[in-house]
Amino acid sequence: MQSFNHFLREKGVSNEVRSLLYHIARSVKYINFSIRAGNTGKCESQNLFGENQLKLDVSADKTIADELEKSELVTVIASEEKDKPEKFKSSRGNFFVAYDPLDGSSLVDANLAIGSIFGIWENADNILGKKVGENLIASCYAVYGPRITLTIAIKDKGAHEFELNDVGEFILSREKVEIENQSKYFAPGNLRACLNNPNYKKWVDFAIENKKTLRYSGGMVPDLHHILSKGQGIFCYPRDKKHVEGKLRLLFECAPFTFIFQEANGIGLNQEGKNILDTVVEDFHQTTPIFIGSKEEIQTVVKFLRKH
Ligand code: P6P
């Protein structure tokens, strides 16, 4: 059973990135404790998107920010729960970390799995105006479900899953996660888009006619983790009248997951069929439609949306 740090060292991951991931893993452990402690009440506050914040959202956000500051490797952080990025005073590194502290937190009261998402850029100098994939060197996400897992992808070193054991260590549970080109599962998010986009409806009908199995919980993290766990799947969240540029956030959700999926031979495209990681960052909170999963299947979906 390989420990998190031992495995990453063997993979040749730098001391700095390993140390930063260690602090992220520690924040995941603390967040898991607060979820299990049942602190799921609502705050009075709302985030930038007008979404009610749970006490858990705010505490998870603070837990992560504190751990990133303690690492002394991060210069700038951006959180889905904060209106603006924050600069740390003292840091001996120059990493930029964007994170969604508790994605899908509204599902907590239904006792469904939720997660945290992290992207790590090696150069914190202005990310605005650059392609989101430029300097993105690692991404990871935690699933707070029946098991607590942390899946980590490092540039050109693959994606690997670690599971929290009963003594609080993350131990390697799946090395080199791979996604096949075909899939029997599909996760058609934002079905409302079928009302003003007949091509999306055509693709959903095509998936049903091809007997694909629906797997959609409403939580991006468990829904995408399902694809990586089964090694196949299609997750879509197209634009619609309410979400003209999609709902899911480029920096906090779509870029980190596209990075992870690419390291697992999957693909993440926008509604024009372009790689999500080629999207130019214009605003820290910008959103994008996303189609992510098994390569051939995702290319089929995007063709449906563009051609029919
Ligand atoms: P809808 C959760 O609020 C979230 O941000 C993602 O985790 C999830 O994939 C999406 O929104 C679900 O959106 O429109 O189905 O509620």
Side-chain angles (χ1 to χ4, degrees):
M1 288 198 296
Q2 268 198 303
S3 78
F4 171 80
N5 194 42
H6 181 254
F7 176 82
L8 293 175
R9 192 172 55 233
E10 276 209 331
K11 280 279 173 199
V13 177
S14 73
N15 292 343
E16 282 196 335
V17 173
R18 285 206 326 268
S19 171
L20 184 46
L21 288 166
Y22 167 79
H23 283 278
I24 288 175
R26 202 154 70 160
S27 69
V28 164
K29 276 194 273 188
Y30 295 150
I31 292 168
N32 176 48
F33 292 146
S34 40
I35 291 170
R36 309 283 157 198
N39 187 2
T40 58
K42 277 196 176 28
C43 289
E44 299 312 314
S45 54
Q46 288 193 330
N47 65 16
L48 185 77
F49 301 91
E51 295 163 338
N52 287 326
Q53 288 180 311
L54 294 179
K55 291 190 184 99
L56 270 178
D57 288 321
V58 175
S59 64
D61 184 55
K62 185 176 180 329
T63 299
I64 293 169
D66 290 350
E67 276 304 319
L68 292 176
E69 187 160 27
K70 271 185 210 148
S71 77
E72 295 188 334
L73 292 164
V74 179
T75 311
V76 180
I77 59 170
S79 163
E80 187 185 297
E81 298 301 328
K82 293 182 200 298
D83 294 356
K84 293 188 175 46
E86 274 181 22
K87 212 168 160 55
F88 289 142
K89 292 183 189 59
S90 72
S91 169
R92 51 190 165 82
N94 192 29
F95 290 109
F96 165 63
V97 178
Y99 60 90
D100 183 353
L102 214 52
D103 184 76
S105 55
S106 58
L107 301 170
V108 167
D109 52 6
N111 202 22
L112 291 177
I114 55 177
S116 303
I117 311 163
F118 304 84
I120 299 171
W121 284 259
E122 62 185 351
N123 179 343
D125 303 336
N126 210 344
I127 191 165
L128 294 178
K130 291 179 186 164
K131 287 183 179 179
V132 71
E134 199 173 316
N135 297 317
L136 179 56
I137 52 132
S139 292
C140 58
Y141 69 89
V143 183
Y144 307 102
R147 297 184 297 122
I148 312 304
T149 57
L150 182 62
T151 301
I152 295 173
I154 310 280
K155 193 150 183 64
D156 304 328
K157 296 184 187 292
H160 316 281
E161 179 197 275
F162 299 84
E163 182 176 338
L164 189 63
N165 68 12
D166 49 9
V167 292
E169 288 167 329
F170 277 104
I171 301 295
L172 182 68
S173 42
R174 289 185 65 216
E175 182 173 359
K176 199 130 179 52
V177 178
E178 301 264 347
I179 301 172
E180 297 155 24
N181 288 334
Q182 310 274 322
S183 168
K184 65 180 179 185
Y185 300 109
F186 76 127
N190 200 15
L191 281 178
R192 295 169 290 267
C194 292
L195 298 172
N196 59 329
N197 183 344
N199 295 337
Y200 190 43
K201 174 81 169 53
K202 283 195 180 101
W203 172 73
V204 172
D205 292 341
F206 171 80
I208 295 166
E209 282 145 26
N210 282 272
K211 300 185 176 52
K212 295 209 185 292
T213 302
L214 177 72
R215 286 291 179 267
Y216 188 81
S217 76
M220 184 183 200
V221 173
D223 288 340
L224 266 59
H225 185 67
H226 185 275
I227 297 173
L228 286 159
S229 297
K230 301 296 181 188
Q232 55 179 296
I234 318 161
F235 175 91
C236 310
Y237 205 99
R239 61 168 62 93
D240 70 341
K241 278 192 181 143
K242 184 179 172 200
H243 304 101
V244 177
E245 281 315 314
K247 171 186 182 186
L248 302 176
R249 292 76 173 188
L250 175 67
L251 268 187
F252 309 118
E253 294 161 333
C254 299
F257 265 119
T258 298
F259 180 93
I260 293 166
F261 271 60
Q262 283 186 179
E263 286 298 326
N265 296 330
I267 193 171
L269 303 180
N270 65 15
Q271 200 147 335
E272 285 62 47
K274 296 270 184 289
N275 187 324
I276 292 266
L277 297 183
D278 290 337
T279 310
V280 174
V281 184
E282 284 151 11
D283 177 278
F284 282 97
H285 287 278
Q286 81 190 63
T287 58
T288 175
I290 182 169
F291 302 83
I292 188 168
S294 297
K295 214 169 272 182
E296 283 173 24
E297 305 274 4
I298 292 300
Q299 284 157 347
T300 303
V301 184
V302 174
K303 273 198 200 103
F304 254 88
L305 284 163
R306 294 168 60 71
K307 207 161 61 184
H308 285 258

